[in-house]
Amino acid sequence: HDRKYFHLFPFAQGKPAFDGTNGNIVDNFPREPVRVLEVDEFDRVDYTALNLIHNVKQGQEICRLIKPTEGEPGRTVLDQEIPAKSGKEVPLPKGRNTEISEDGDALLASVSGHVEFTGRSFQVKPVLEIPGNVDFSTGNINFLGDINIHGDVLSGFTVRAMGNIQVAGVVEAGSTVEAGGDLIVVKGILGDGNTVIRAQRCLFSKYIENATVYVRENLQTDCIINGSIYCGGEVLVQSGRGVIMGGRVWAAKRICAHTVGSQSECKTSIVLGG
């Protein structure tokens, strides 16, 4: 008969415990806006590419909740239970003008507007669309949300917004533009010495000429001519011509440009810190 000694036989068998996975949030919109314009191989910047207004329609999904899984307990070889931890739940980052779906698995926009992540939650801010110019047909604009101007800001008019302002054209002489967030001027700022620009975050403009500009964070442009610039961060004039010509440029951190000054000997002041 077969010899059964010196062979291993299973006598008792345990089962390992598996902990559950934690809940997670899958975002459909970015939480951190990217405010850096890329310079291409021809030393050019596409100012139309920096769209900081992320439009959302009413009822559209902003983010989705992945629910945690339950832990699967195990058994010891003595058939005693080994406890397992269940995954932790995460709350949906619900902010102003958002609502949780009926099944509780998604965060939806309760109004149409611009999605922004602030602090710990997504919120939807209304967006004012100006299909043409800011002129006598619109009058001066003072808006609590974001403004998207498809034309120019004509001479003598004022545009103020608590959020971001995007201008597809130019800001003309004698006008005033104030943004509580970022300001983008795709075709540039053409002032006459009485043009005042304020941005509580960053400013991106094709060029700046004969204008007074206050920027709390960073400023990026191709060219500054006879401007009065006051910047709490960095002034970057490195794309395109990269010229600072005339006027006064003050920055708290850094100023970068290809060329400073001009052959016409107009006075150009550069001030750092202070």
Side-chain angles (χ1 to χ4, degrees):
H1 59 85
D2 293 332
R3 296 179 178 180
K4 297 295 184 182
Y5 42 85
F6 300 120
H7 286 267
L8 295 174
F9 294 94
F11 176 72
Q13 188 171 349
K15 178 186 174 186
F18 295 98
D19 290 339
T21 57
N22 292 333
N24 194 17
I25 302 290
V26 178
D27 297 333
N28 296 330
F29 293 89
R31 296 196 178 199
E32 290 291 331
V34 180
R35 298 193 187 97
V36 177
L37 285 169
E38 298 293 333
V39 180
D40 66 14
E41 57 184 317
F42 302 107
D43 211 24
R44 295 177 306 190
V45 164
D46 183 5
Y47 287 87
T48 62
L50 189 70
N51 188 2
L52 293 173
I53 298 177
H54 300 287
N55 287 316
V56 66
K57 294 180 180 178
Q58 184 177 358
Q60 186 176 340
E61 184 178 294
I62 297 172
C63 61
R64 177 160 284 275
L65 175 67
I66 297 177
K67 292 183 177 179
T69 59
E70 296 288 331
E72 188 179 329
R75 313 292 295 186
T76 68
V77 291
L78 300 176
D79 203 31
Q80 294 175 333
E81 184 176 290
I82 304 173
K85 296 179 181 178
S86 294
K88 295 180 180 178
E89 290 190 3
V90 292
L92 282 166
K94 184 181 182 304
R96 188 159 49 96
N97 293 328
T98 65
E99 59 189 14
I100 297 174
S101 61
E102 290 185 8
D103 58 10
D105 290 345
L107 185 69
L108 310 176
S110 54
V111 298
S112 297
H114 158 64
V115 179
E116 191 174 83
F117 188 82
T118 55
R120 298 179 180 178
S121 63
F122 280 105
Q123 65 171 331
V124 179
K125 298 160 63 178
V127 177
L128 177 63
E129 296 280 347
I130 306 295
N133 299 330
V134 175
D135 52 19
F136 287 104
S137 65
T138 63
N140 295 330
I141 297 173
N142 196 345
F143 192 60
L144 294 175
D146 299 327
I147 303 177
N148 192 6
I149 300 168
H150 295 263
D152 304 327
V153 179
L154 298 193
S155 178
F157 289 91
T158 299
V159 178
R160 290 187 176 93
M162 292 285 285
N164 303 322
I165 299 176
Q166 184 160 316
V167 183
V170 299
V171 174
E172 290 189 356
S175 54
T176 300
V177 179
E178 298 182 4
D182 295 308
L183 172 60
I184 305 166
V185 186
V186 174
K187 291 186 179 176
I189 299 166
L190 180 60
D192 61 352
N194 296 317
T195 304
V196 179
I197 307 293
R198 296 178 191 271
Q200 293 298 320
R201 290 206 296 237
C202 296
L203 168 62
F204 303 90
S205 180
K206 182 69 175 173
Y207 63 86
I208 299 170
E209 186 172 340
N210 292 317
T212 302
V213 177
Y214 302 92
V215 183
R216 187 165 292 244
E217 294 183 13
N218 298 333
L219 183 154
Q220 187 165 340
T221 183
D222 288 4
C223 179
I224 299 174
I225 300 174
N226 292 325
S228 296
I229 313 295
Y230 303 91
C231 179
E234 298 181 352
V235 175
L236 305 174
V237 194
Q238 294 178 292
S239 55
R241 292 175 62 191
V243 174
I244 299 175
M245 188 185 304
R248 183 177 191 271
V249 178
W250 175 89
K253 294 181 180 178
R254 186 167 68 131
I255 298 174
C256 294
H258 294 318
T259 306
V260 176
S262 70
Q263 294 180 343
S264 62
E265 297 184 3
C266 62
K267 184 178 178 182
T268 305
S269 299
I270 302 293
V271 184
L272 275 176

